[in-house]
Amino acid sequence: ITYNGAFCTTFFFSSDGGGTENSENVFTSPLAYCRGVVDPYEDIIPASSNSRKSWSVQYTSADLLAKVNSKGYSLTDIASVTPVYSNTNNVISLTFTDSTGKSAAFSKSSCYSFSCGTLGLNSIHYTITQNNGTYVFNGSGWGHNVGMSQWGAYSMANNYNYNCRQIIGFYFTGVSISLGVTNQ
């Protein structure tokens, strides 16, 4: 797989939950061929096959505060959590604010690291609700969401009859596929 004649670094993961993500919103470098796409193909896969199709993680306010402060912040409580979503509905920024107005912010790669590492969420494709001091992270997908979804590719091939060129072209923007050249 090449982009403008150069080999691509192709990323893959298990399941995107509905949308892949731009590389710079998860890792640090923008790659022109790793642009987020809305992915409708996984939806047909039953949860009995894709165990991460839907998931939920809960934290008490105190537990969430401890997670945020473990990253070097000193908030006194959690008064609000504000996510920012990409155009493919992935969380690419989180801001936690306490009752004094002090905040802790995580964006792009630090948001991915905080979400999937510190909070232990399966992906960055989630919503947040708060109810009586409990924060609920409801999400879908499993992995970093950059590049090709394995469940999406499986569904494209088995349920929609797409071939490998069509699948790769869907997940990687503006790429070419070649057979390569051998030296003789």
Side-chain angles (χ1 to χ4, degrees), residues 47-62:
S48 59
S49 295
N50 178 1
S51 64
R52 302 304 196 300
K53 185 172 184 171
S54 177
W55 48 263
S56 183
V57 175
Q58 296 183 25
Y59 284 103
T60 65
S61 185

Side-chain angles (χ1 to χ4, degrees), residues 114-169:
F114 183 78
S115 296
C116 296
T118 305
L119 294 180
L121 306 180
N122 291 318
S123 78
I124 56 173
H125 200 85
Y126 61 85
T127 59
I128 307 165
T129 56
Q130 192 270 346
N131 186 19
N132 296 324
T134 299
Y135 288 86
V136 181
F137 296 79
N138 290 305
S140 54
W142 189 18
H144 50 67
N145 286 35
V146 176
M148 185 181 73
S149 161
Q150 292 172 306
W151 278 111
Y154 171 85
S155 179
M156 288 177 78
N158 289 322
N159 297 308
Y160 297 94
N161 296 315
Y162 283 102
N163 64 41
C164 66
R165 289 182 182 277
Q166 292 169 310
I167 293 167
I168 290 169

Side-chain angles (χ1 to χ4, degrees), residues 18-32:
T20 67
E21 192 51 58
N22 293 346
S23 60
E24 69 273 16
N25 289 337
V26 175
F27 307 133
T28 54
S29 299
L31 297 170

